[in-house]
Tab-separated table of all heavy atoms in Angstrom:
chain	number	residue	atom	x	y	z
A	1	ALA	N	-28.312	7.721	-18.052
A	1	ALA	CA	-27.795	6.414	-18.450
A	1	ALA	C	-27.340	6.430	-19.906
A	1	ALA	O	-26.244	5.954	-20.240
A	1	ALA	CB	-28.860	5.340	-18.234
A	2	GLU	N	-28.172	6.976	-20.782
A	2	GLU	CA	-27.819	7.014	-22.199
A	2	GLU	C	-26.592	7.880	-22.444
A	2	GLU	O	-25.727	7.532	-23.259
A	2	GLU	CB	-29.012	7.508	-23.018
A	2	GLU	CG	-30.189	6.525	-23.011
A	2	GLU	CD	-31.325	6.974	-23.915
A	2	GLU	OE1	-31.037	7.368	-25.061
A	2	GLU	OE2	-32.486	6.939	-23.466
A	3	ALA	N	-26.489	9.010	-21.723
A	3	ALA	CA	-25.314	9.870	-21.877
A	3	ALA	C	-24.057	9.170	-21.365
A	3	ALA	O	-22.981	9.268	-21.974
A	3	ALA	CB	-25.532	11.185	-21.131
A	4	GLY	N	-24.192	8.463	-20.260
A	4	GLY	CA	-23.042	7.757	-19.695
A	4	GLY	C	-22.546	6.647	-20.597
A	4	GLY	O	-21.331	6.432	-20.746
A	5	LEU	N	-23.485	5.926	-21.226
A	5	LEU	CA	-23.099	4.846	-22.122
A	5	LEU	C	-22.430	5.380	-23.387
A	5	LEU	O	-21.599	4.703	-23.996
A	5	LEU	CB	-24.327	4.019	-22.488
A	5	LEU	CG	-25.020	3.302	-21.318
A	5	LEU	CD1	-26.264	2.568	-21.798
A	5	LEU	CD2	-24.074	2.340	-20.630
A	6	ALA	N	-22.800	6.610	-23.779
A	6	ALA	CA	-22.197	7.217	-24.966
A	6	ALA	C	-20.838	7.837	-24.666
A	6	ALA	O	-20.083	8.148	-25.589
A	6	ALA	CB	-23.140	8.276	-25.528
A	7	ASP	N	-20.527	8.012	-23.396
A	7	ASP	CA	-19.255	8.645	-23.002
A	7	ASP	C	-18.619	7.830	-21.888
A	7	ASP	O	-18.462	8.292	-20.769
A	7	ASP	CB	-19.519	10.095	-22.547
A	7	ASP	CG	-18.240	10.827	-22.162
A	7	ASP	OD1	-17.166	10.490	-22.702
A	7	ASP	OD2	-18.317	11.736	-21.307
A	8	ARG	N	-18.259	6.598	-22.197
A	8	ARG	CA	-17.696	5.687	-21.202
A	8	ARG	C	-16.372	6.221	-20.639
A	8	ARG	O	-15.551	6.786	-21.360
A	8	ARG	CB	-17.436	4.314	-21.823
A	8	ARG	CG	-18.655	3.459	-22.002
A	8	ARG	CD	-19.250	3.029	-20.680
A	8	ARG	NE	-20.105	1.866	-20.810
A	8	ARG	CZ	-20.911	1.428	-19.864
A	8	ARG	NH1	-20.992	2.084	-18.718
A	8	ARG	NH2	-21.662	0.359	-20.043
A	9	PHE	N	-16.194	6.005	-19.348
A	9	PHE	CA	-14.927	6.328	-18.711
A	9	PHE	C	-13.879	5.341	-19.217
A	9	PHE	O	-14.077	4.121	-19.141
A	9	PHE	CB	-15.067	6.215	-17.186
A	9	PHE	CG	-13.818	6.567	-16.435
A	9	PHE	CD1	-13.522	7.878	-16.151
A	9	PHE	CD2	-12.938	5.576	-16.014
A	9	PHE	CE1	-12.368	8.213	-15.460
A	9	PHE	CE2	-11.792	5.895	-15.326
A	9	PHE	CZ	-11.501	7.218	-15.038
A	10	ASP	N	-12.776	5.845	-19.744
A	10	ASP	CA	-11.766	4.960	-20.323
A	10	ASP	C	-10.423	5.046	-19.606
A	10	ASP	O	-9.380	4.668	-20.155
A	10	ASP	CB	-11.582	5.249	-21.815
A	10	ASP	CG	-11.140	6.690	-22.085
A	10	ASP	OD1	-11.000	7.459	-21.101
A	10	ASP	OD2	-10.933	7.046	-23.259
A	11	GLY	N	-10.453	5.543	-18.377
A	11	GLY	CA	-9.213	5.632	-17.607
A	11	GLY	C	-8.914	4.338	-16.865
A	11	GLY	O	-9.614	3.330	-16.983
A	12	THR	N	-7.873	4.374	-16.061
A	12	THR	CA	-7.449	3.209	-15.285
A	12	THR	C	-8.305	3.054	-14.036
A	12	THR	O	-9.078	3.956	-13.672
A	12	THR	CB	-5.984	3.355	-14.857
A	12	THR	OG1	-5.884	4.484	-13.952
A	12	THR	CG2	-5.069	3.578	-16.061
A	13	ASP	N	-8.159	1.918	-13.360
A	13	ASP	CA	-8.859	1.700	-12.085
A	13	ASP	C	-8.498	2.781	-11.081
A	13	ASP	O	-9.368	3.295	-10.352
A	13	ASP	CB	-8.491	0.324	-11.514
A	13	ASP	CG	-9.094	-0.825	-12.307
A	13	ASP	OD1	-9.949	-0.565	-13.177
A	13	ASP	OD2	-8.702	-1.983	-12.052
A	14	GLU	N	-7.220	3.135	-11.030
A	14	GLU	CA	-6.756	4.142	-10.073
A	14	GLU	C	-7.378	5.505	-10.380
A	14	GLU	O	-7.821	6.230	-9.472
A	14	GLU	CB	-5.230	4.246	-10.123
A	14	GLU	CG	-4.608	5.090	-9.033
A	14	GLU	CD	-4.615	4.413	-7.662
A	14	GLU	OE1	-4.869	3.200	-7.609
A	14	GLU	OE2	-4.369	5.111	-6.664
A	15	GLU	N	-7.446	5.856	-11.657
A	15	GLU	CA	-8.031	7.143	-12.044
A	15	GLU	C	-9.530	7.173	-11.740
A	15	GLU	O	-10.062	8.203	-11.297
A	15	GLU	CB	-7.788	7.395	-13.533
A	15	GLU	CG	-6.330	7.693	-13.865
A	15	GLU	CD	-6.048	7.639	-15.364
A	15	GLU	OE1	-6.842	7.025	-16.111
A	15	GLU	OE2	-5.020	8.217	-15.781
A	16	ALA	N	-10.202	6.055	-11.957
A	16	ALA	CA	-11.631	5.993	-11.643
A	16	ALA	C	-11.860	6.157	-10.148
A	16	ALA	O	-12.773	6.874	-9.713
A	16	ALA	CB	-12.210	4.669	-12.126
A	17	THR	N	-11.027	5.504	-9.349
A	17	THR	CA	-11.158	5.604	-7.896
A	17	THR	C	-10.886	7.024	-7.432
A	17	THR	O	-11.600	7.556	-6.562
A	17	THR	CB	-10.189	4.619	-7.207
A	17	THR	OG1	-10.428	3.296	-7.700
A	17	THR	CG2	-10.380	4.624	-5.700
A	18	ASP	N	-9.859	7.673	-8.003
A	18	ASP	CA	-9.552	9.064	-7.646
A	18	ASP	C	-10.730	9.983	-7.963
A	18	ASP	O	-11.101	10.847	-7.158
A	18	ASP	CB	-8.322	9.553	-8.424
A	18	ASP	CG	-7.025	8.903	-7.959
A	18	ASP	OD1	-7.014	8.347	-6.841
A	18	ASP	OD2	-6.038	8.957	-8.717
A	19	THR	N	-11.325	9.794	-9.145
A	19	THR	CA	-12.440	10.652	-9.556
A	19	THR	C	-13.643	10.454	-8.649
A	19	THR	O	-14.278	11.426	-8.212
A	19	THR	CB	-12.829	10.355	-11.012
A	19	THR	OG1	-11.694	10.549	-11.855
A	19	THR	CG2	-13.965	11.262	-11.468
A	20	LEU	N	-13.965	9.191	-8.359
A	20	LEU	CA	-15.106	8.925	-7.497
A	20	LEU	C	-14.872	9.470	-6.089
A	20	LEU	O	-15.772	10.075	-5.487
A	20	LEU	CB	-15.389	7.419	-7.424
A	20	LEU	CG	-16.545	7.011	-6.512
A	20	LEU	CD1	-17.851	7.674	-6.940
A	20	LEU	CD2	-16.709	5.495	-6.487
A	21	GLU	N	-13.683	9.295	-5.566
A	21	GLU	CA	-13.382	9.814	-4.232
A	21	GLU	C	-13.566	11.329	-4.177
A	21	GLU	O	-14.148	11.866	-3.220
A	21	GLU	CB	-11.951	9.449	-3.831
A	21	GLU	CG	-11.591	9.917	-2.428
A	21	GLU	CD	-10.155	9.587	-2.053
A	21	GLU	OE1	-9.353	9.269	-2.948
A	21	GLU	OE2	-9.832	9.653	-0.839
A	22	ALA	N	-13.093	12.040	-5.204
A	22	ALA	CA	-13.227	13.500	-5.239
A	22	ALA	C	-14.699	13.912	-5.293
A	22	ALA	O	-15.118	14.850	-4.597
A	22	ALA	CB	-12.470	14.064	-6.442
A	23	LEU	N	-15.495	13.211	-6.094
A	23	LEU	CA	-16.926	13.531	-6.181
A	23	LEU	C	-17.642	13.248	-4.861
A	23	LEU	O	-18.513	14.020	-4.437
A	23	LEU	CB	-17.564	12.714	-7.306
A	23	LEU	CG	-17.207	13.129	-8.737
A	23	LEU	CD1	-17.708	12.095	-9.727
A	23	LEU	CD2	-17.785	14.503	-9.062
A	24	LEU	N	-17.290	12.144	-4.219
A	24	LEU	CA	-17.915	11.819	-2.937
A	24	LEU	C	-17.513	12.817	-1.860
A	24	LEU	O	-18.345	13.204	-1.024
A	24	LEU	CB	-17.525	10.396	-2.520
A	24	LEU	CG	-18.156	9.263	-3.340
A	24	LEU	CD1	-17.561	7.917	-2.940
A	24	LEU	CD2	-19.666	9.239	-3.161
A	25	ARG	N	-16.265	13.240	-1.867
A	25	ARG	CA	-15.832	14.265	-0.903
A	25	ARG	C	-16.644	15.547	-1.086
A	25	ARG	O	-17.098	16.162	-0.120
A	25	ARG	CB	-14.344	14.572	-1.092
A	25	ARG	CG	-13.391	13.637	-0.361
A	25	ARG	CD	-11.953	14.068	-0.612
A	25	ARG	NE	-11.025	13.339	0.215
A	25	ARG	CZ	-10.653	13.704	1.440
A	25	ARG	NH1	-11.163	14.786	1.981
A	25	ARG	NH2	-9.782	12.984	2.126
A	26	GLN	N	-16.816	15.933	-2.353
A	26	GLN	CA	-17.577	17.137	-2.665
A	26	GLN	C	-19.016	17.007	-2.176
A	26	GLN	O	-19.572	17.938	-1.577
A	26	GLN	CB	-17.536	17.367	-4.173
A	26	GLN	CG	-18.238	18.631	-4.636
A	26	GLN	CD	-18.199	18.775	-6.147
A	26	GLN	OE1	-18.322	17.794	-6.879
A	26	GLN	NE2	-18.023	19.999	-6.630
A	27	SER	N	-19.616	15.849	-2.411
A	27	SER	CA	-20.993	15.629	-1.989
A	27	SER	C	-21.123	15.641	-0.471
A	27	SER	O	-22.017	16.292	0.085
A	27	SER	CB	-21.498	14.292	-2.549
A	27	SER	OG	-22.793	14.004	-2.067
A	28	VAL	N	-20.240	14.924	0.207
A	28	VAL	CA	-20.303	14.841	1.662
A	28	VAL	C	-20.097	16.215	2.292
A	28	VAL	O	-20.822	16.609	3.226
A	28	VAL	CB	-19.269	13.827	2.189
A	28	VAL	CG1	-19.099	13.964	3.706
A	28	VAL	CG2	-19.697	12.406	1.842
A	29	GLU	N	-19.110	16.958	1.796
A	29	GLU	CA	-18.864	18.280	2.368
A	29	GLU	C	-20.075	19.192	2.176
A	29	GLU	O	-20.430	19.961	3.074
A	29	GLU	CB	-17.616	18.909	1.727
A	29	GLU	CG	-16.311	18.286	2.194
A	29	GLU	CD	-16.158	18.338	3.710
A	29	GLU	OE1	-16.324	19.443	4.300
A	29	GLU	OE2	-15.895	17.284	4.319
A	30	GLY	N	-20.710	19.118	1.017
A	30	GLY	CA	-21.897	19.936	0.786
A	30	GLY	C	-23.043	19.553	1.699
A	30	GLY	O	-23.760	20.417	2.212
A	31	GLN	N	-23.221	18.255	1.928
A	31	GLN	CA	-24.349	17.805	2.742
A	31	GLN	C	-24.065	17.862	4.240
A	31	GLN	O	-24.975	17.657	5.046
A	31	GLN	CB	-24.764	16.400	2.298
A	31	GLN	CG	-25.304	16.413	0.873
A	31	GLN	CD	-26.116	15.196	0.517
A	31	GLN	OE1	-26.718	14.560	1.372
A	31	GLN	NE2	-26.144	14.859	-0.767
A	32	LYS	N	-22.820	18.166	4.604
A	32	LYS	CA	-22.503	18.395	6.022
A	32	LYS	C	-22.928	19.785	6.482
A	32	LYS	O	-22.989	20.057	7.685
A	32	LYS	CB	-20.994	18.233	6.257
A	32	LYS	CG	-20.522	16.796	6.379
A	32	LYS	CD	-19.006	16.700	6.410
A	32	LYS	CE	-18.398	17.454	7.586
A	32	LYS	NZ	-16.922	17.311	7.605
A	33	MET	N	-23.219	20.662	5.537
A	33	MET	CA	-23.581	22.030	5.911
A	33	MET	C	-24.911	22.032	6.650
A	33	MET	O	-25.931	21.580	6.123
A	33	MET	CB	-23.657	22.909	4.662
A	33	MET	CG	-22.324	23.074	3.952
A	33	MET	SD	-22.460	24.036	2.419
A	33	MET	CE	-22.967	25.626	3.082
A	34	ALA	N	-24.899	22.519	7.882
A	34	ALA	CA	-26.117	22.560	8.697
A	34	ALA	C	-25.903	23.522	9.857
A	34	ALA	O	-24.777	23.663	10.359
A	34	ALA	CB	-26.457	21.169	9.224
A	35	ASP	N	-26.973	24.172	10.273
A	35	ASP	CA	-26.879	25.058	11.436
A	35	ASP	C	-27.441	24.388	12.685
A	35	ASP	O	-27.773	25.046	13.663
A	35	ASP	CB	-27.588	26.390	11.168
A	35	ASP	CG	-29.042	26.214	10.772
A	35	ASP	OD1	-29.519	25.051	10.779
A	35	ASP	OD2	-29.706	27.215	10.458
A	36	VAL	N	-27.563	23.062	12.633
A	36	VAL	CA	-28.001	22.266	13.786
A	36	VAL	C	-27.035	21.086	13.921
A	36	VAL	O	-26.281	20.776	12.991
A	36	VAL	CB	-29.444	21.746	13.573
A	36	VAL	CG1	-30.437	22.895	13.592
A	36	VAL	CG2	-29.572	20.955	12.278
A	37	PRO	N	-27.019	20.388	15.063
A	37	PRO	CA	-26.101	19.251	15.240
A	37	PRO	C	-26.297	18.179	14.165
A	37	PRO	O	-27.421	17.850	13.789
A	37	PRO	CB	-26.476	18.718	16.625
A	37	PRO	CG	-27.044	19.898	17.342
A	37	PRO	CD	-27.763	20.690	16.299
A	38	LEU	N	-25.175	17.629	13.691
A	38	LEU	CA	-25.179	16.702	12.570
A	38	LEU	C	-24.434	15.425	12.926
A	38	LEU	O	-23.449	15.446	13.665
A	38	LEU	CB	-24.524	17.372	11.359
A	38	LEU	CG	-24.323	16.528	10.102
A	38	LEU	CD1	-24.819	17.263	8.873
A	38	LEU	CD2	-22.839	16.194	9.941
A	39	GLY	N	-24.885	14.291	12.405
A	39	GLY	CA	-24.226	13.013	12.638
A	39	GLY	C	-24.412	12.108	11.442
A	39	GLY	O	-24.689	12.562	10.327
């Protein structure tokens, strides 16, 4: 929290949405990895 407040995101709404979408894609793809059925 303290690091985030010291380095605020100063981009546009569109840039923030793009960044969050990319991070969420990365997270979801990583957590989809499984050797058993997933849902």
Side-chain angles (χ1 to χ4, degrees):
E2 293 185 46
L5 297 177
D7 182 28
R8 283 293 200 192
F9 182 83
D10 60 359
T12 65
D13 289 350
E14 189 74 13
E15 289 167 340
T17 305
D18 289 342
T19 302
L20 178 59
E21 182 182 16
L23 288 170
L24 289 173
R25 275 181 171 272
Q26 183 182 38
S27 175
V28 167
E29 287 304 309
Q31 295 198 27
K32 280 172 60 179
M33 296 177 64
D35 56 4
V36 292
L38 175 131

